[in-house]
mmCIF file with all atom_site columns, all heavy atoms in Angstrom:
data_model
loop_
_atom_site.group_PDB
_atom_site.id
_atom_site.type_symbol
_atom_site.label_atom_id
_atom_site.label_alt_id
_atom_site.label_comp_id
_atom_site.label_asym_id
_atom_site.label_entity_id
_atom_site.label_seq_id
_atom_site.pdbx_PDB_ins_code
_atom_site.Cartn_x
_atom_site.Cartn_y
_atom_site.Cartn_z
_atom_site.occupancy
_atom_site.B_iso_or_equiv
_atom_site.pdbx_formal_charge
_atom_site.auth_seq_id
_atom_site.auth_comp_id
_atom_site.auth_asym_id
_atom_site.auth_atom_id
_atom_site.pdbx_PDB_model_num
ATOM 1   N N   . GLY A 1 1  ? 7.898  73.296 51.332 1.00 0.00 ? 1  GLY A N   1
ATOM 2   C CA  . GLY A 1 1  ? 8.762  72.836 52.413 1.00 0.00 ? 1  GLY A CA  1
ATOM 3   C C   . GLY A 1 1  ? 9.193  73.911 53.392 1.00 0.00 ? 1  GLY A C   1
ATOM 4   O O   . GLY A 1 1  ? 9.995  73.635 54.290 1.00 0.00 ? 1  GLY A O   1
ATOM 5   N N   . PHE A 1 2  ? 8.680  75.123 53.237 1.00 0.00 ? 2  PHE A N   1
ATOM 6   C CA  . PHE A 1 2  ? 8.985  76.218 54.147 1.00 0.00 ? 2  PHE A CA  1
ATOM 7   C C   . PHE A 1 2  ? 7.858  77.240 54.063 1.00 0.00 ? 2  PHE A C   1
ATOM 8   O O   . PHE A 1 2  ? 6.985  77.150 53.189 1.00 0.00 ? 2  PHE A O   1
ATOM 9   C CB  . PHE A 1 2  ? 10.338 76.851 53.815 1.00 0.00 ? 2  PHE A CB  1
ATOM 10  C CG  . PHE A 1 2  ? 10.408 77.509 52.469 1.00 0.00 ? 2  PHE A CG  1
ATOM 11  C CD1 . PHE A 1 2  ? 10.326 78.889 52.335 1.00 0.00 ? 2  PHE A CD1 1
ATOM 12  C CD2 . PHE A 1 2  ? 10.538 76.751 51.312 1.00 0.00 ? 2  PHE A CD2 1
ATOM 13  C CE1 . PHE A 1 2  ? 10.386 79.498 51.090 1.00 0.00 ? 2  PHE A CE1 1
ATOM 14  C CE2 . PHE A 1 2  ? 10.591 77.343 50.064 1.00 0.00 ? 2  PHE A CE2 1
ATOM 15  C CZ  . PHE A 1 2  ? 10.518 78.720 49.950 1.00 0.00 ? 2  PHE A CZ  1
ATOM 16  N N   . THR A 1 3  ? 7.883  78.212 54.979 1.00 0.00 ? 3  THR A N   1
ATOM 17  C CA  . THR A 1 3  ? 6.850  79.249 54.998 1.00 0.00 ? 3  THR A CA  1
ATOM 18  C C   . THR A 1 3  ? 7.207  80.301 53.957 1.00 0.00 ? 3  THR A C   1
ATOM 19  O O   . THR A 1 3  ? 7.913  81.275 54.244 1.00 0.00 ? 3  THR A O   1
ATOM 20  C CB  . THR A 1 3  ? 6.732  79.871 56.400 1.00 0.00 ? 3  THR A CB  1
ATOM 21  O OG1 . THR A 1 3  ? 6.526  78.829 57.361 1.00 0.00 ? 3  THR A OG1 1
ATOM 22  C CG2 . THR A 1 3  ? 5.555  80.839 56.451 1.00 0.00 ? 3  THR A CG2 1
ATOM 23  N N   . PHE A 1 4  ? 6.688  80.105 52.764 1.00 0.00 ? 4  PHE A N   1
ATOM 24  C CA  . PHE A 1 4  ? 7.092  80.885 51.598 1.00 0.00 ? 4  PHE A CA  1
ATOM 25  C C   . PHE A 1 4  ? 6.968  82.391 51.836 1.00 0.00 ? 4  PHE A C   1
ATOM 26  O O   . PHE A 1 4  ? 7.856  83.158 51.493 1.00 0.00 ? 4  PHE A O   1
ATOM 27  C CB  . PHE A 1 4  ? 6.240  80.464 50.403 1.00 0.00 ? 4  PHE A CB  1
ATOM 28  C CG  . PHE A 1 4  ? 6.537  81.208 49.129 1.00 0.00 ? 4  PHE A CG  1
ATOM 29  C CD1 . PHE A 1 4  ? 7.638  80.888 48.355 1.00 0.00 ? 4  PHE A CD1 1
ATOM 30  C CD2 . PHE A 1 4  ? 5.699  82.240 48.708 1.00 0.00 ? 4  PHE A CD2 1
ATOM 31  C CE1 . PHE A 1 4  ? 7.908  81.565 47.174 1.00 0.00 ? 4  PHE A CE1 1
ATOM 32  C CE2 . PHE A 1 4  ? 5.957  82.922 47.526 1.00 0.00 ? 4  PHE A CE2 1
ATOM 33  C CZ  . PHE A 1 4  ? 7.067  82.582 46.760 1.00 0.00 ? 4  PHE A CZ  1
ATOM 34  N N   . SER A 1 5  ? 5.875  82.815 52.422 1.00 0.00 ? 5  SER A N   1
ATOM 35  C CA  . SER A 1 5  ? 5.595  84.255 52.542 1.00 0.00 ? 5  SER A CA  1
ATOM 36  C C   . SER A 1 5  ? 6.594  84.980 53.446 1.00 0.00 ? 5  SER A C   1
ATOM 37  O O   . SER A 1 5  ? 6.683  86.210 53.409 1.00 0.00 ? 5  SER A O   1
ATOM 38  C CB  . SER A 1 5  ? 4.188  84.469 53.064 1.00 0.00 ? 5  SER A CB  1
ATOM 39  O OG  . SER A 1 5  ? 4.031  83.865 54.334 1.00 0.00 ? 5  SER A OG  1
ATOM 40  N N   . SER A 1 6  ? 7.359  84.246 54.225 1.00 0.00 ? 6  SER A N   1
ATOM 41  C CA  . SER A 1 6  ? 8.258  84.860 55.212 1.00 0.00 ? 6  SER A CA  1
ATOM 42  C C   . SER A 1 6  ? 9.655  85.138 54.684 1.00 0.00 ? 6  SER A C   1
ATOM 43  O O   . SER A 1 6  ? 10.461 85.758 55.396 1.00 0.00 ? 6  SER A O   1
ATOM 44  C CB  . SER A 1 6  ? 8.380  83.952 56.447 1.00 0.00 ? 6  SER A CB  1
ATOM 45  O OG  . SER A 1 6  ? 7.134  83.809 57.090 1.00 0.00 ? 6  SER A OG  1
ATOM 46  N N   . TYR A 1 7  ? 9.955  84.695 53.458 1.00 0.00 ? 7  TYR A N   1
ATOM 47  C CA  . TYR A 1 7  ? 11.337 84.746 52.985 1.00 0.00 ? 7  TYR A CA  1
ATOM 48  C C   . TYR A 1 7  ? 11.492 85.439 51.643 1.00 0.00 ? 7  TYR A C   1
ATOM 49  O O   . TYR A 1 7  ? 10.619 85.348 50.775 1.00 0.00 ? 7  TYR A O   1
ATOM 50  C CB  . TYR A 1 7  ? 11.906 83.328 52.875 1.00 0.00 ? 7  TYR A CB  1
ATOM 51  C CG  . TYR A 1 7  ? 12.044 82.669 54.214 1.00 0.00 ? 7  TYR A CG  1
ATOM 52  C CD1 . TYR A 1 7  ? 11.034 81.847 54.692 1.00 0.00 ? 7  TYR A CD1 1
ATOM 53  C CD2 . TYR A 1 7  ? 13.160 82.893 55.008 1.00 0.00 ? 7  TYR A CD2 1
ATOM 54  C CE1 . TYR A 1 7  ? 11.135 81.262 55.944 1.00 0.00 ? 7  TYR A CE1 1
ATOM 55  C CE2 . TYR A 1 7  ? 13.269 82.312 56.256 1.00 0.00 ? 7  TYR A CE2 1
ATOM 56  C CZ  . TYR A 1 7  ? 12.250 81.500 56.719 1.00 0.00 ? 7  TYR A CZ  1
ATOM 57  O OH  . TYR A 1 7  ? 12.360 80.920 57.953 1.00 0.00 ? 7  TYR A OH  1
ATOM 58  N N   . ALA A 1 8  ? 12.643 86.105 51.496 1.00 0.00 ? 8  ALA A N   1
ATOM 59  C CA  . ALA A 1 8  ? 13.017 86.646 50.202 1.00 0.00 ? 8  ALA A CA  1
ATOM 60  C C   . ALA A 1 8  ? 13.319 85.503 49.237 1.00 0.00 ? 8  ALA A C   1
ATOM 61  O O   . ALA A 1 8  ? 13.805 84.445 49.646 1.00 0.00 ? 8  ALA A O   1
ATOM 62  C CB  . ALA A 1 8  ? 14.232 87.551 50.334 1.00 0.00 ? 8  ALA A CB  1
ATOM 63  N N   . MET A 1 9  ? 13.025 85.747 47.970 1.00 0.00 ? 9  MET A N   1
ATOM 64  C CA  . MET A 1 9  ? 13.311 84.786 46.910 1.00 0.00 ? 9  MET A CA  1
ATOM 65  C C   . MET A 1 9  ? 14.103 85.506 45.826 1.00 0.00 ? 9  MET A C   1
ATOM 66  O O   . MET A 1 9  ? 13.905 86.696 45.581 1.00 0.00 ? 9  MET A O   1
ATOM 67  C CB  . MET A 1 9  ? 12.025 84.226 46.319 1.00 0.00 ? 9  MET A CB  1
ATOM 68  C CG  . MET A 1 9  ? 11.167 83.433 47.291 1.00 0.00 ? 9  MET A CG  1
ATOM 69  S SD  . MET A 1 9  ? 11.948 81.916 47.847 1.00 0.00 ? 9  MET A SD  1
ATOM 70  C CE  . MET A 1 9  ? 12.127 81.008 46.308 1.00 0.00 ? 9  MET A CE  1
ATOM 71  N N   . SER A 1 10 ? 14.958 84.756 45.161 1.00 0.00 ? 10 SER A N   1
ATOM 72  C CA  . SER A 1 10 ? 15.808 85.355 44.123 1.00 0.00 ? 10 SER A CA  1
ATOM 73  C C   . SER A 1 10 ? 15.842 84.482 42.872 1.00 0.00 ? 10 SER A C   1
ATOM 74  O O   . SER A 1 10 ? 15.562 83.291 42.922 1.00 0.00 ? 10 SER A O   1
ATOM 75  C CB  . SER A 1 10 ? 17.241 85.530 44.638 1.00 0.00 ? 10 SER A CB  1
ATOM 76  O OG  . SER A 1 10 ? 17.302 86.413 45.731 1.00 0.00 ? 10 SER A OG  1
ATOM 77  N N   . TRP A 1 11 ? 16.214 85.133 41.785 1.00 0.00 ? 11 TRP A N   1
ATOM 78  C CA  . TRP A 1 11 ? 16.545 84.443 40.538 1.00 0.00 ? 11 TRP A CA  1
ATOM 79  C C   . TRP A 1 11 ? 18.021 84.728 40.235 1.00 0.00 ? 11 TRP A C   1
ATOM 80  O O   . TRP A 1 11 ? 18.464 85.880 40.317 1.00 0.00 ? 11 TRP A O   1
ATOM 81  C CB  . TRP A 1 11 ? 15.697 84.938 39.379 1.00 0.00 ? 11 TRP A CB  1
ATOM 82  C CG  . TRP A 1 11 ? 14.281 84.478 39.416 1.00 0.00 ? 11 TRP A CG  1
ATOM 83  C CD1 . TRP A 1 11 ? 13.199 85.153 39.917 1.00 0.00 ? 11 TRP A CD1 1
ATOM 84  C CD2 . TRP A 1 11 ? 13.779 83.241 38.914 1.00 0.00 ? 11 TRP A CD2 1
ATOM 85  N NE1 . TRP A 1 11 ? 12.069 84.404 39.762 1.00 0.00 ? 11 TRP A NE1 1
ATOM 86  C CE2 . TRP A 1 11 ? 12.382 83.224 39.156 1.00 0.00 ? 11 TRP A CE2 1
ATOM 87  C CE3 . TRP A 1 11 ? 14.362 82.138 38.284 1.00 0.00 ? 11 TRP A CE3 1
ATOM 88  C CZ2 . TRP A 1 11 ? 11.570 82.147 38.780 1.00 0.00 ? 11 TRP A CZ2 1
ATOM 89  C CZ3 . TRP A 1 11 ? 13.556 81.072 37.923 1.00 0.00 ? 11 TRP A CZ3 1
ATOM 90  C CH2 . TRP A 1 11 ? 12.185 81.080 38.172 1.00 0.00 ? 11 TRP A CH2 1
ATOM 91  N N   . TYR A 1 12 ? 18.742 83.671 39.900 1.00 0.00 ? 12 TYR A N   1
ATOM 92  C CA  . TYR A 1 12 ? 20.115 83.758 39.433 1.00 0.00 ? 12 TYR A CA  1
ATOM 93  C C   . TYR A 1 12 ? 20.156 83.180 38.018 1.00 0.00 ? 12 TYR A C   1
ATOM 94  O O   . TYR A 1 12 ? 19.226 82.487 37.598 1.00 0.00 ? 12 TYR A O   1
ATOM 95  C CB  . TYR A 1 12 ? 21.048 82.929 40.323 1.00 0.00 ? 12 TYR A CB  1
ATOM 96  C CG  . TYR A 1 12 ? 21.416 83.552 41.631 1.00 0.00 ? 12 TYR A CG  1
ATOM 97  C CD1 . TYR A 1 12 ? 20.493 83.644 42.670 1.00 0.00 ? 12 TYR A CD1 1
ATOM 98  C CD2 . TYR A 1 12 ? 22.696 84.039 41.858 1.00 0.00 ? 12 TYR A CD2 1
ATOM 99  C CE1 . TYR A 1 12 ? 20.837 84.213 43.892 1.00 0.00 ? 12 TYR A CE1 1
ATOM 100 C CE2 . TYR A 1 12 ? 23.068 84.601 43.068 1.00 0.00 ? 12 TYR A CE2 1
ATOM 101 C CZ  . TYR A 1 12 ? 22.133 84.681 44.077 1.00 0.00 ? 12 TYR A CZ  1
ATOM 102 O OH  . TYR A 1 12 ? 22.491 85.243 45.279 1.00 0.00 ? 12 TYR A OH  1
ATOM 103 N N   . ARG A 1 13 ? 21.247 83.450 37.320 1.00 0.00 ? 13 ARG A N   1
ATOM 104 C CA  . ARG A 1 13 ? 21.446 82.830 36.012 1.00 0.00 ? 13 ARG A CA  1
ATOM 105 C C   . ARG A 1 13 ? 22.927 82.525 35.802 1.00 0.00 ? 13 ARG A C   1
ATOM 106 O O   . ARG A 1 13 ? 23.791 83.174 36.389 1.00 0.00 ? 13 ARG A O   1
ATOM 107 C CB  . ARG A 1 13 ? 20.929 83.713 34.886 1.00 0.00 ? 13 ARG A CB  1
ATOM 108 C CG  . ARG A 1 13 ? 21.714 84.998 34.664 1.00 0.00 ? 13 ARG A CG  1
ATOM 109 C CD  . ARG A 1 13 ? 21.043 85.848 33.584 1.00 0.00 ? 13 ARG A CD  1
ATOM 110 N NE  . ARG A 1 13 ? 21.783 87.088 33.339 1.00 0.00 ? 13 ARG A NE  1
ATOM 111 C CZ  . ARG A 1 13 ? 21.356 88.048 32.528 1.00 0.00 ? 13 ARG A CZ  1
ATOM 112 N NH1 . ARG A 1 13 ? 20.192 87.918 31.887 1.00 0.00 ? 13 ARG A NH1 1
ATOM 113 N NH2 . ARG A 1 13 ? 22.097 89.134 32.336 1.00 0.00 ? 13 ARG A NH2 1
ATOM 114 N N   . GLN A 1 14 ? 23.156 81.538 34.951 1.00 0.00 ? 14 GLN A N   1
ATOM 115 C CA  . GLN A 1 14 ? 24.519 81.180 34.580 1.00 0.00 ? 14 GLN A CA  1
ATOM 116 C C   . GLN A 1 14 ? 24.573 80.966 33.086 1.00 0.00 ? 14 GLN A C   1
ATOM 117 O O   . GLN A 1 14 ? 23.987 80.004 32.564 1.00 0.00 ? 14 GLN A O   1
ATOM 118 C CB  . GLN A 1 14 ? 24.999 79.934 35.325 1.00 0.00 ? 14 GLN A CB  1
ATOM 119 C CG  . GLN A 1 14 ? 26.455 79.628 35.098 1.00 0.00 ? 14 GLN A CG  1
ATOM 120 C CD  . GLN A 1 14 ? 27.007 78.630 36.095 1.00 0.00 ? 14 GLN A CD  1
ATOM 121 O OE1 . GLN A 1 14 ? 26.263 77.946 36.801 1.00 0.00 ? 14 GLN A OE1 1
ATOM 122 N NE2 . GLN A 1 14 ? 28.331 78.558 36.190 1.00 0.00 ? 14 GLN A NE2 1
ATOM 123 N N   . GLY A 1 15 ? 25.257 81.886 32.398 1.00 0.00 ? 15 GLY A N   1
ATOM 124 C CA  . GLY A 1 15 ? 25.407 81.791 30.964 1.00 0.00 ? 15 GLY A CA  1
ATOM 125 C C   . GLY A 1 15 ? 26.565 80.900 30.587 1.00 0.00 ? 15 GLY A C   1
ATOM 126 O O   . GLY A 1 15 ? 27.394 80.550 31.438 1.00 0.00 ? 15 GLY A O   1
ATOM 127 N N   . PRO A 1 16 ? 26.667 80.546 29.304 1.00 0.00 ? 16 PRO A N   1
ATOM 128 C CA  . PRO A 1 16 ? 27.761 79.679 28.843 1.00 0.00 ? 16 PRO A CA  1
ATOM 129 C C   . PRO A 1 16 ? 29.129 80.290 29.159 1.00 0.00 ? 16 PRO A C   1
ATOM 130 O O   . PRO A 1 16 ? 29.401 81.427 28.763 1.00 0.00 ? 16 PRO A O   1
ATOM 131 C CB  . PRO A 1 16 ? 27.528 79.601 27.335 1.00 0.00 ? 16 PRO A CB  1
ATOM 132 C CG  . PRO A 1 16 ? 26.125 80.013 27.120 1.00 0.00 ? 16 PRO A CG  1
ATOM 133 C CD  . PRO A 1 16 ? 25.759 80.936 28.233 1.00 0.00 ? 16 PRO A CD  1
ATOM 134 N N   . GLY A 1 17 ? 29.959 79.569 29.880 1.00 0.00 ? 17 GLY A N   1
ATOM 135 C CA  . GLY A 1 17 ? 31.291 80.031 30.217 1.00 0.00 ? 17 GLY A CA  1
ATOM 136 C C   . GLY A 1 17 ? 31.345 81.161 31.222 1.00 0.00 ? 17 GLY A C   1
ATOM 137 O O   . GLY A 1 17 ? 32.380 81.806 31.386 1.00 0.00 ? 17 GLY A O   1
ATOM 138 N N   . LYS A 1 18 ? 30.215 81.420 31.874 1.00 0.00 ? 18 LYS A N   1
ATOM 139 C CA  . LYS A 1 18 ? 30.162 82.533 32.839 1.00 0.00 ? 18 LYS A CA  1
ATOM 140 C C   . LYS A 1 18 ? 29.873 82.020 34.241 1.00 0.00 ? 18 LYS A C   1
ATOM 141 O O   . LYS A 1 18 ? 29.393 80.902 34.424 1.00 0.00 ? 18 LYS A O   1
ATOM 142 C CB  . LYS A 1 18 ? 29.067 83.527 32.429 1.00 0.00 ? 18 LYS A CB  1
ATOM 143 C CG  . LYS A 1 18 ? 29.286 84.168 31.075 1.00 0.00 ? 18 LYS A CG  1
ATOM 144 C CD  . LYS A 1 18 ? 28.143 85.131 30.756 1.00 0.00 ? 18 LYS A CD  1
ATOM 145 C CE  . LYS A 1 18 ? 28.319 85.772 29.398 1.00 0.00 ? 18 LYS A CE  1
ATOM 146 N NZ  . LYS A 1 18 ? 27.196 86.686 29.072 1.00 0.00 ? 18 LYS A NZ  1
ATOM 147 N N   . GLU A 1 19 ? 30.151 82.867 35.229 1.00 0.00 ? 19 GLU A N   1
ATOM 148 C CA  . GLU A 1 19 ? 29.803 82.531 36.600 1.00 0.00 ? 19 GLU A CA  1
ATOM 149 C C   . GLU A 1 19 ? 28.321 82.808 36.849 1.00 0.00 ? 19 GLU A C   1
ATOM 150 O O   . GLU A 1 19 ? 27.699 83.613 36.155 1.00 0.00 ? 19 GLU A O   1
ATOM 151 C CB  . GLU A 1 19 ? 30.655 83.351 37.570 1.00 0.00 ? 19 GLU A CB  1
ATOM 152 C CG  . GLU A 1 19 ? 32.133 83.009 37.513 1.00 0.00 ? 19 GLU A CG  1
ATOM 153 C CD  . GLU A 1 19 ? 32.915 83.702 38.604 1.00 0.00 ? 19 GLU A CD  1
ATOM 154 O OE1 . GLU A 1 19 ? 32.340 84.529 39.328 1.00 0.00 ? 19 GLU A OE1 1
ATOM 155 O OE2 . GLU A 1 19 ? 34.121 83.408 38.732 1.00 0.00 ? 19 GLU A OE2 1
ATOM 156 N N   . ARG A 1 20 ? 27.781 82.122 37.845 1.00 0.00 ? 20 ARG A N   1
ATOM 157 C CA  . ARG A 1 20 ? 26.393 82.368 38.216 1.00 0.00 ? 20 ARG A CA  1
ATOM 158 C C   . ARG A 1 20 ? 26.272 83.772 38.789 1.00 0.00 ? 20 ARG A C   1
ATOM 159 O O   . ARG A 1 20 ? 27.103 84.205 39.592 1.00 0.00 ? 20 ARG A O   1
ATOM 160 C CB  . ARG A 1 20 ? 25.930 81.326 39.240 1.00 0.00 ? 20 ARG A CB  1
ATOM 161 C CG  . ARG A 1 20 ? 24.439 81.281 39.445 1.00 0.00 ? 20 ARG A CG  1
ATOM 162 C CD  . ARG A 1 20 ? 24.023 80.101 40.302 1.00 0.00 ? 20 ARG A CD  1
ATOM 163 N NE  . ARG A 1 20 ? 24.329 78.826 39.645 1.00 0.00 ? 20 ARG A NE  1
ATOM 164 C CZ  . ARG A 1 20 ? 23.863 77.653 40.067 1.00 0.00 ? 20 ARG A CZ  1
ATOM 165 N NH1 . ARG A 1 20 ? 23.089 77.596 41.141 1.00 0.00 ? 20 ARG A NH1 1
ATOM 166 N NH2 . ARG A 1 20 ? 24.191 76.547 39.438 1.00 0.00 ? 20 ARG A NH2 1
ATOM 167 N N   . GLU A 1 21 ? 25.231 84.493 38.382 1.00 0.00 ? 21 GLU A N   1
ATOM 168 C CA  . GLU A 1 21 ? 25.042 85.866 38.833 1.00 0.00 ? 21 GLU A CA  1
ATOM 169 C C   . GLU A 1 21 ? 23.614 86.094 39.307 1.00 0.00 ? 21 GLU A C   1
ATOM 170 O O   . GLU A 1 21 ? 22.668 85.491 38.794 1.00 0.00 ? 21 GLU A O   1
ATOM 171 C CB  . GLU A 1 21 ? 25.380 86.856 37.712 1.00 0.00 ? 21 GLU A CB  1
ATOM 172 C CG  . GLU A 1 21 ? 24.484 86.750 36.490 1.00 0.00 ? 21 GLU A CG  1
ATOM 173 C CD  . GLU A 1 21 ? 24.765 87.803 35.431 1.00 0.00 ? 21 GLU A CD  1
ATOM 174 O OE1 . GLU A 1 21 ? 25.566 88.721 35.694 1.00 0.00 ? 21 GLU A OE1 1
ATOM 175 O OE2 . GLU A 1 21 ? 24.172 87.715 34.347 1.00 0.00 ? 21 GLU A OE2 1
ATOM 176 N N   . LEU A 1 22 ? 23.481 87.017 40.252 1.00 0.00 ? 22 LEU A N   1
ATOM 177 C CA  . LEU A 1 22 ? 22.164 87.392 40.760 1.00 0.00 ? 22 LEU A CA  1
ATOM 178 C C   . LEU A 1 22 ? 21.455 88.249 39.724 1.00 0.00 ? 22 LEU A C   1
ATOM 179 O O   . LEU A 1 22 ? 22.019 89.222 39.221 1.00 0.00 ? 22 LEU A O   1
ATOM 180 C CB  . LEU A 1 22 ? 22.308 88.156 42.075 1.00 0.00 ? 22 LEU A CB  1
ATOM 181 C CG  . LEU A 1 22 ? 21.035 88.692 42.693 1.00 0.00 ? 22 LEU A CG  1
ATOM 182 C CD1 . LEU A 1 22 ? 20.083 87.569 43.071 1.00 0.00 ? 22 LEU A CD1 1
ATOM 183 C CD2 . LEU A 1 22 ? 21.368 89.549 43.924 1.00 0.00 ? 22 LEU A CD2 1
ATOM 184 N N   . VAL A 1 23 ? 20.210 87.904 39.447 1.00 0.00 ? 23 VAL A N   1
ATOM 185 C CA  . VAL A 1 23 ? 19.400 88.653 38.482 1.00 0.00 ? 23 VAL A CA  1
ATOM 186 C C   . VAL A 1 23 ? 18.416 89.569 39.203 1.00 0.00 ? 23 VAL A C   1
ATOM 187 O O   . VAL A 1 23 ? 18.321 90.760 38.897 1.00 0.00 ? 23 VAL A O   1
ATOM 188 C CB  . VAL A 1 23 ? 18.629 87.688 37.565 1.00 0.00 ? 23 VAL A CB  1
ATOM 189 C CG1 . VAL A 1 23 ? 17.688 88.449 36.642 1.00 0.00 ? 23 VAL A CG1 1
ATOM 190 C CG2 . VAL A 1 23 ? 19.600 86.829 36.760 1.00 0.00 ? 23 VAL A CG2 1
ATOM 191 N N   . ALA A 1 24 ? 17.678 89.015 40.163 1.00 0.00 ? 24 ALA A N   1
ATOM 192 C CA  . ALA A 1 24 ? 16.646 89.799 40.842 1.00 0.00 ? 24 ALA A CA  1
ATOM 193 C C   . ALA A 1 24 ? 16.286 89.122 42.161 1.00 0.00 ? 24 ALA A C   1
ATOM 194 O O   . ALA A 1 24 ? 16.407 87.909 42.298 1.00 0.00 ? 24 ALA A O   1
ATOM 195 C CB  . ALA A 1 24 ? 15.400 89.943 39.969 1.00 0.00 ? 24 ALA A CB  1
ATOM 196 N N   . THR A 1 25 ? 15.830 89.960 43.111 1.00 0.00 ? 25 THR A N   1
ATOM 197 C CA  . THR A 1 25 ? 15.379 89.489 44.416 1.00 0.00 ? 25 THR A CA  1
ATOM 198 C C   . THR A 1 25 ? 14.086 90.192 44.778 1.00 0.00 ? 25 THR A C   1
ATOM 199 O O   . THR A 1 25 ? 13.911 91.371 44.465 1.00 0.00 ? 25 THR A O   1
ATOM 200 C CB  . THR A 1 25 ? 16.434 89.793 45.495 1.00 0.00 ? 25 THR A CB  1
ATOM 201 O OG1 . THR A 1 25 ? 17.630 89.056 45.205 1.00 0.00 ? 25 THR A OG1 1
ATOM 202 C CG2 . THR A 1 25 ? 15.946 89.400 46.882 1.00 0.00 ? 25 THR A CG2 1
ATOM 203 N N   . ILE A 1 26 ? 13.196 89.453 45.436 1.00 0.00 ? 26 ILE A N   1
ATOM 204 C CA  . ILE A 1 26 ? 11.988 90.051 45.998 1.00 0.00 ? 26 ILE A CA  1
ATOM 205 C C   . ILE A 1 26 ? 11.907 89.636 47.456 1.00 0.00 ? 26 ILE A C   1
ATOM 206 O O   . ILE A 1 26 ? 12.036 88.455 47.791 1.00 0.00 ? 26 ILE A O   1
ATOM 207 C CB  . ILE A 1 26 ? 10.721 89.663 45.208 1.00 0.00 ? 26 ILE A CB  1
ATOM 208 C CG1 . ILE A 1 26 ? 9.503  90.394 45.746 1.00 0.00 ? 26 ILE A CG1 1
ATOM 209 C CG2 . ILE A 1 26 ? 10.497 88.147 45.183 1.00 0.00 ? 26 ILE A CG2 1
ATOM 210 C CD1 . ILE A 1 26 ? 8.291  90.349 44.815 1.00 0.00 ? 26 ILE A CD1 1
ATOM 211 N N   . THR A 1 27 ? 11.713 90.615 48.336 1.00 0.00 ? 27 THR A N   1
ATOM 212 C CA  . THR A 1 27 ? 11.671 90.326 49.765 1.00 0.00 ? 27 THR A CA  1
ATOM 213 C C   . THR A 1 27 ? 10.278 89.874 50.191 1.00 0.00 ? 27 THR A C   1
ATOM 214 O O   . THR A 1 27 ? 9.326  89.876 49.404 1.00 0.00 ? 27 THR A O   1
ATOM 215 C CB  . THR A 1 27 ? 12.066 91.558 50.570 1.00 0.00 ? 27 THR A CB  1
ATOM 216 O OG1 . THR A 1 27 ? 11.005 92.532 50.457 1.00 0.00 ? 27 THR A OG1 1
ATOM 217 C CG2 . THR A 1 27 ? 13.372 92.166 50.077 1.00 0.00 ? 27 THR A CG2 1
#
């Protein structure tokens, strides 16, 4: 649905009872 190669992508995670946090990004 978008031009994938043009954008940074990230992974986040949310553990039990925790806030969502940034894990990794690739530009």
Side-chain angles (χ1 to χ4, degrees):
F2 64 102
T3 306
F4 179 78
S5 60
S6 297
Y7 293 95
M9 297 294 298
S10 297
W11 287 96
Y12 282 73
R13 68 184 181 186
Q14 187 165 15
K18 299 180 181 179
E19 294 188 354
R20 194 171 296 192
E21 63 176 352
L22 176 63
V23 175
T25 296
I26 185 165
T27 70

